[in-house]
Amino acid sequence: MIQLYNICKSYSKDGTALEDVNLKIPKGDFVYITGPSGAGKSTLLKLLYVAERPTRGQILINGQNVTRMSVAKIPFLRRQLGIVFQDFKLINSRTIFENVAFPLEVRGRKRFEVGKKVYQVLKNVGLEHKLTKFPLQLSGGEQQRVAIARALVMEPLVLLADEPTGNLDLEVTLEIMDLFKGANARGTTVLLATHDREMMRRFPRRQICLENGRLTEDWIP
Amino acid sequence: MFGKLIYLIRRALRNMFQSPVLCIATVGTVTVSLCILTFFAIIVLNVQSMTRHWSQEVQVVAYLDEVPSAAQISALVQSAEALPEVVEVVYVTRQQAFAGFRDRLGDDALLLDGLDDDFLPASLRLTLHEEFRNRLGVEQVVGELKKTGGYSDFRYGQDWLDRFESLLNLLRIAGAVLGGFLLFAALFIVANTIKLTVYARREELEVMSLVGGTSMFIKSPFLIEGAVQGVVGGCLAISLSYLLFTAFLAGGLETLFLASGVAEIVFLPFFYQLLVLAAGILIGILGSLISLRKFVRI
Ligand SMILES: Nc1ncnc2c1ncn2[C@@H]1O[C@H](COP(=O)(O)OP(=O)(O)OP(=O)(O)O)[C@@H](O)[C@H]1O
Ligand SMILES: [Mg+2]
């Protein structure tokens, strides 16, 4: 499903964010990516949704070589992914509804379908009563849930979540985890970058640990 | 397909209403730039019609050896009229030439007293089609007339023609260079204004590309917006320059031009107004494309 071969990534000449990472993640897997701050977790995810290109090495997603993918094909790769960004990336001038509807709109879905799906997914994250609010009118945790709703609204092939529960209390974290597990049960491959030890203790899954850009541990329960 | 277009147009309109100040700023810059372009075109067109007026002076005068018989004259006139470059042939008798000369002398006509009225040669005056009113055309005609024979001399203002032609060339080059420069400057200014709009929405552009929007999907509302602003700016520019034209420019140009014998100063003809609109659309769309290049890399 997802394969990384000898991946190196450096943003500048001196510092390297990732060094010689090799990784295989089969379809339907659920993987935590852990490690200290600055270890390269976000960088790894960015390489997967081609916001960055690796300095060296090859990445295959679903059989496609992402490293040499032409710019025109990137949107179609991203339509197979659901992404929760570490900084949410919600559009402040648009309502919650519109924010969550974006992935459907870029696919040209009909309006009634958009409305139904957006309402359903917002209900799943417990925000269906805030449809018409704007992101800045929501708390940090609520914004995070909107970002999660947007990632899940299309039932993606792969879910890439960068610290999706960073601002949430345990109760909401558990609900969100249920959503992720549900998507995983329906076949979505989940990659979850996190520091949250409590979450990993409650739902033990495969753990990949990055340190200084190197893969130091690959633990399977 | 049709529904998609409607959807894109709706998004474009919505964007415009969401940032009305920037939208007005763009329309304003388009209007001002096109106004300048329109005035430039008015001046070029009127200078052109002025030179066309001047070129009526280009004539070939063919002097006749001796006084020919009536039959010979009509033969000569006919063969001259048969030339494709020639519009009209006028036969000027010795007496008519003398009268014309005396008229031109005016007060000094007394000098001619006591002279016979047949000391000037008779001639044919040939008026040429507009496209032949230049050195090449004139020389062609003279060459043909020489072949027929019977003429003693030809006059067609050689020096004047040369100078007239180099003036025309200069005007043509200056017009093209200046017009191109104005168009380019307009594009540059409009692109920079549109860049503000794009910059204000850069988050949205980024998110759309991250959730799988294609380049066309992301860009087309901006292109539609640019085209609409171009059309609106173009219409405003034409109306505004018409107002300014009737209020100020027409009078000013008239005093300048009427001295050179041009009948009237005209506003931009309809076809050229359409061209201004087209330039507006082009500037709007290209301006959007240029601004988007930096922010949408997908
Ligand atoms: N756009 C960038 N330009 C330059 N350097 C960058 C950029 N993004 C990340 N880095 C550097 O790459 C390294 C890895 O960053 P990354 O964001 O992947 O860490 P992380 O594991 O996600 O950390 P955190 O847990 O704090 O989110 C860091 O040293 C960071 O300074
Ligand atoms: Mg990170």
Side-chain angles (χ1 to χ4, degrees):
Chain A
M1 178 81 222
I2 299 175
Q3 289 148 289
L4 279 74
Y5 299 103
N6 309 105
I7 285 299
C8 295
K9 172 70 190 176
S10 45
Y11 289 101
S12 55
K13 279 202 188 86
D14 24 306
T16 51
L18 286 177
E19 223 175 308
D20 202 28
V21 174
N22 287 286
L23 191 60
K24 273 202 176 91
I25 298 171
K27 188 170 166 51
D29 219 0
F30 192 119
V31 184
Y32 293 114
I33 303 169
T34 62
S37 182
K41 303 183 291 295
S42 299
T43 302
L44 182 66
L45 295 182
K46 281 178 190 162
L47 292 178
L48 293 179
Y49 60 80
V50 210
E52 299 284 352
R53 303 261 187 176
T55 317
R56 205 137 36 82
Q58 308 290 327
I59 300 176
L60 273 81
I61 299 178
N62 219 0
Q64 294 168 282
N65 192 331
V66 170
T67 9
R68 270 183 269 142
M69 182 172 276
S70 73
V71 165
K73 283 195 183 139
I74 293 175
F76 302 98
L77 169 75
R78 288 182 181 162
R79 287 179 192 188
Q80 304 177 320
L81 313 175
I83 314 169
V84 183
F85 303 97
Q86 193 166 11
D87 54 353
F88 312 157
K89 291 199 194 295
L90 300 177
I91 302 163
N92 292 331
S93 59
R94 300 284 158 121
T95 62
I96 302 308
F97 179 91
E98 289 171 316
N99 267 285
V100 177
F102 262 124
L104 297 160
E105 279 191 33
V106 299
R107 290 165 175 79
R109 291 300 156 89
K110 296 271 181 300
R111 284 228 271 180
F112 72 89
E113 186 194 345
V114 173
K116 222 169 55 183
K117 283 213 159 143
V118 171
Y119 183 81
Q120 188 54 48
V121 77
L122 279 175
K123 202 170 161 194
N124 288 344
V125 298
L127 287 174
E128 74 275 17
H129 55 289
K130 305 237 166 163
L131 277 175
T132 55
K133 291 266 194 304
F134 290 89
L136 293 181
Q137 297 171 321
L138 267 55
S139 73
E142 285 170 333
Q143 290 180 28
Q144 199 154 26
R145 281 187 274 161
V146 175
I148 292 164
R150 186 181 60 194
L152 289 175
V153 71
M154 272 310 294
E155 296 264 329
L157 213 59
V158 180
L159 179 75
L160 307 173
D162 202 346
E163 317 248 3
T165 55
N167 292 311
L168 305 178
D169 58 30
L170 188 61
E171 199 180 323
V172 183
T173 300
L174 294 179
E175 285 172 24
I176 296 299
M177 280 307 290
D178 279 341
L179 288 177
F180 288 168
K181 282 196 296 183
N184 185 233
R186 287 190 296 276
T188 299
T189 310
V190 179
L191 268 78
L192 222 162
T194 185
H195 294 290
D196 196 335
R197 303 207 164 275
E198 178 67 18
M199 188 162 80
M200 291 184 271
R201 197 182 59 75
R202 282 177 182 251
F203 306 103
R205 288 288 191 279
R206 181 178 173 189
Q207 276 179 37
I208 292 164
C209 187
L210 287 172
E211 266 170 67
N212 276 324
R214 288 182 174 279
L215 209 158
T216 53
E217 205 187 316
D218 190 343
W219 178 79
I220 301 172
Chain B
M1 181 62 218
F2 190 64
K4 208 167 185 172
L5 191 69
I6 295 212
Y7 167 76
L8 291 174
I9 290 174
R10 217 182 31 229
R11 252 176 66 204
L13 288 178
R14 176 225 176 101
N15 285 347
M16 280 189 267
F17 282 114
Q18 213 165 42
S19 43
V21 177
L22 289 175
C23 183
I24 289 168
T26 309
V27 171
T29 16
V30 172
T31 306
V32 171
S33 335
L34 287 182
C35 243
I36 294 171
L37 212 61
T38 305
F39 277 128
F40 178 72
I42 290 174
I43 290 172
V44 167
L45 284 178
N46 279 293
V47 167
Q48 243 172 28
S49 80
M50 183 176 81
T51 55
R52 208 172 301 136
H53 184 81
W54 282 347
S55 75
Q56 283 167 9
E57 308 269 314
V58 177
Q59 269 187 342
V60 176
V61 182
Y63 294 102
L64 297 168
D65 274 337
E66 50 213 64
V67 182
S69 68
Q72 278 174 313
I73 292 168
S74 69
L76 282 174
V77 168
Q78 251 169 31
S79 75
E81 269 176 345
L83 294 174
E85 297 90 350
V86 174
V87 186
E88 196 188 11
V89 179
V90 177
Y91 173 63
V92 181
T93 64
R94 293 178 158 198
Q95 285 72 27
Q96 282 164 341
F98 183 79
F101 188 41
R102 200 176 48 202
D103 284 351
R104 251 179 292 157
L105 285 179
D107 290 343
D108 298 326
L110 291 172
L111 291 173
L112 295 179
D113 280 358
L115 284 172
D116 282 344
D117 63 358
D118 60 355
F119 82 98
L120 287 170
S123 61
L124 294 185
R125 297 232 157 118
L126 285 72
T127 314
L128 306 186
H129 280 294
E130 205 173 300
E131 62 264 41
F132 296 108
R133 285 180 200 155
N134 50 44
R135 193 180 179 91
L136 212 71
V138 163
E139 273 169 2
Q140 224 170 305
V141 171
V142 170
E144 286 298 320
L145 292 179
K146 270 181 184 158
K147 269 189 227 158
T148 346
Y151 302 103
S152 64
D153 197 9
F154 300 94
R155 277 283 139 69
Y156 49 89
Q158 289 92 327
D159 290 350
W160 188 83
L161 251 183
D162 278 350
R163 261 179 286 151
F164 182 64
E165 261 167 44
S166 54
L167 175 74
L168 276 189
N169 276 336
L170 192 74
L171 284 179
R172 219 169 281 147
I173 292 170
V177 168
L178 220 67
F181 174 77
L182 281 179
L183 201 66
F184 194 76
L187 180 64
F188 180 77
I189 295 168
V190 171
N192 270 304
T193 320
I194 292 178
K195 207 171 273 178
L196 295 177
T197 322
V198 176
Y199 186 78
R201 288 212 286 277
R202 64 194 185 287
E203 285 182 333
E204 189 180 324
L205 296 176
E206 190 199 356
V207 171
M208 281 198 285
S209 93
L210 285 175
V211 299
T214 55
S215 168
M216 239 12 243
F217 176 86
I218 299 171
K219 286 180 178 174
S220 35
F222 286 90
L223 301 186
I224 294 171
E225 190 177 338
V228 170
Q229 288 165 336
V231 170
V232 174
C235 288
L236 284 177
I238 291 168
S239 332
L240 188 66
S241 45
Y242 184 74
L243 282 180
L244 290 174
F245 175 80
T246 44
F248 306 111
L249 195 68
L253 281 182
E254 206 132 357
T255 44
L256 193 78
F257 279 54
L258 281 185
S260 46
V262 175
E264 57 168 349
I265 306 298
V266 291
F267 188 66
L268 219 53
F270 183 66
F271 174 70
Y272 286 86
Q273 296 180 14
L274 288 185
L275 280 187
V276 169
L277 275 191
I281 296 175
L282 192 77
I283 286 174
I285 291 179
L286 277 182
S288 293
L289 270 181
I290 292 171
S291 320
L292 283 167
R293 226 181 31 175
K294 219 177 115 188
F295 292 95
V296 186
R297 297 230 182 70
I298 288 295

